[in-house]
Each structure stands twice: as C-alpha cells, then as structure tokens.
Amino acid sequence: AKADVTRAICFYELRMDEASRTRQTLARDLRRALELDQLELHYQVQTSVSTGEIRGFEVLLRWTHPERGHVPPSEFIPIAEENGLIMAIGEWVLRTACRQAASWDKPYKIAVNLSPVQFAHPDLASLVKNILTETGFDARRLELEITESTIIADKVRTLQTLRRIRELGVTIALDDFGVGYSSLDTLRSFPFDKIKLDRSFMSELEENPQAKAIVRAVLTLGKSLNIPVLAEGVETDDQLTILQTELCDEAQGFFLGRPKPVEQIFGLEGADSDA
Ligand code: C2E
Ligand code: CA
Ligand code: CA
Ligand code: CA
C-alpha cells in the first residue's frame, strides 16, 4: 500500500510538472505574441432590447498560436495574470481598442475587460487618461468591465480608482453579475453604470422558472437603483422575446452577433450569416 501511495504521488508530481511546463511554454509564447503583434481584438455587438439599435461593442482578446492554433482567453488570461504579463497585455488591449474605435464613422461605445490584477495597480486611472489623450478617443465612449473579484481584493483602493476613472467620463460595468462573489453590498457601495447579467441565467431562462424569477428580480433591482441591465449570452429568438417582455435594457450574445474582427463588424448588419 505504501508503494502505491508513493507511486501515486510520483504520478501526481509528474502531471503537475507537465502542467507547469505547459504553462511556462504558453507564458513565453504569449510574451512573444505580444511583442510580435500577434494578438488581435474581436468585437461583439451590444444592442438595445426594445429598439434593436447598436449600443456598442465588447472588446475580446484573441490569440492564434503558431502551432496550437486558437488559444481561448480562459486559458491564457490566468497565466498572464499569474506572471504579471497581463499589465502589458491589458495596456495593449486598451490602447488598440481606443485607437481602432476612434476611427469609426459612428460614435459607438466600446467595453474593455479589466483584470483584477490591473485594478490593483495604483496608476490605472492615469494609464486610462493617458491612453485617451494619446488616441484622441472620447472618454464617454469608453466602458470598463470589472467583476466582483476585482472589488473584494481591496475595497478602499478599488473605490478610489473607480471614482478617478469615472471622473474622466469613462463608465464602469459590473460583469458576470449573479455568479461567483455576487453580493448586494457591491451594488450598494460602488458606482456602476451598468450591470451585466451572467450568461448562465440565459441558458436556463426557458426551462428553469427559478432562473427566470432571478432575471426578473435583477431587472427590478436595476430599475430601482437606476442602473441599466445587459443580458449576456443571448443565443435564441425566444430568449430575446422574454427579455423584451421583461423590459431588459440591453442584450449581447451569439443570436445578436458573434465576436468578429474589426474589419467585419460594419456593413454586415442584418446580413449576419454566422450568428
Ligand atoms: P466575458 O467578459 O464574460 O466575455 C464574454 C464571453 O462570452 C466571451 O468569451 C464571448 O465570446 C462569450 N459569448 C458571447 N456571447 C455568447 C453566447 O451567446 N453564448 C456563449 N456560450 N458565449 C458567448 P471569450 O471571448 O472566450 O472570453 C472569455 C473571458 O476571457 C471573458 O469573459 C473575459 O473574462 C476574458 N477576456 C476576454 N478578453 C479579455 C481582455 O482583453 N482582458 C481581460 N482581462 N480579460 C479578457
Ligand atoms: Ca466582459
Ligand atoms: Ca461576462
Ligand atoms: Ca467571465
């Protein structure tokens, strides 16, 4: 039995080794990808539920690895957060998105995701300000998306940073609301301009009455707090119809449009074949 345990431990260590080697390789390749300008931004449309109008676009990072092909952000963002590379990547995302959107014909908003690691940095507000100046992008067209894990790290400092960013005219959205560390205290204590309801509620909207009741309650909460609610992960016509009935403000999801390279987001409205 002792030998079995030893063998099991060795096997475990071997697998751990393998996993950490993969992470190290990915980290090195990611650094290179950033230097060689191999990262790309995709944009996913956000629309008004009542009128169908475009409200803006969420910016989503894409990495095509030379050998592995597409690596999902859920895989490489945690690695970048662990080794600090997320600071440089996050800055690149913000600068590139502002620069691209500054050249559009229409003044749509863009929503950029921020990692909790970026938020922990004391100079975040200055960085945002500098990038806005440098790119000439209108602060009112920029929204930053943060999750509740950002807030729990250091409440006092987060609140300070949020205030400084909002003073620039930039808006703040609370991402993935309803899952993870969700608590009403977050909404009570922090100044949000939008609540993004996590997409897990959409996938259960039609068959699970509990999910529907929660969606309804969040929409009511948003109305009483005067904060618009965006439903994430809308994949069907029926889901959108329910959101219309429930007076949800905005929606985003494959049914409305998949994330696309910047060259493809305009001109194809209504003729969207891949959604
Ligand atoms: P998120 O911020 O919740 O972004 C929305 C994710 O849902 C995106 O996945 C998007 O492709 C996906 N999605 C959109 N509509 C639908 C739908 O109808 N159904 C389903 N099943 N999925 C949908 P993606 O692009 O793989 O990104 C995953 C996560 O990676 C993001 O979740 C965000 O947390 C993170 N991420 C992406 N780009 C960045 C970035 O530039 N910086 C940081 N810090 N994180 C990023
Ligand atoms: Ca997001
Ligand atoms: Ca989300
Ligand atoms: Ca997420």
Side-chain angles (χ1 to χ4, degrees), residues 76 98 116 170 176 194 226 236 269:
F76 70 82
C98 288
V170 174
D176 301 343
K194 185 182 290 179
N226 218 352
T236 68
E269 290 152 33

Side-chain angles (χ1 to χ4, degrees), residues 232-250:
E232 295 192 276
V234 177
E235 293 184 353
T236 68
D237 199 0
D238 290 341
Q239 289 166 353
L240 188 62
T241 305
I242 295 174
L243 294 173
Q244 274 158 351
T245 313
E246 302 296 335
L247 304 176
C248 183
D249 303 280
E250 292 180 23

Side-chain angles (χ1 to χ4, degrees), residues 271-275:
D272 197 28
S273 54
D274 66 344

Side-chain angles (χ1 to χ4, degrees), residues 113 147 175-176 198-199 232:
N113 290 286
T147 60
D175 204 357
D176 301 343
D198 189 77
R199 71 174 145 86
E232 295 192 276

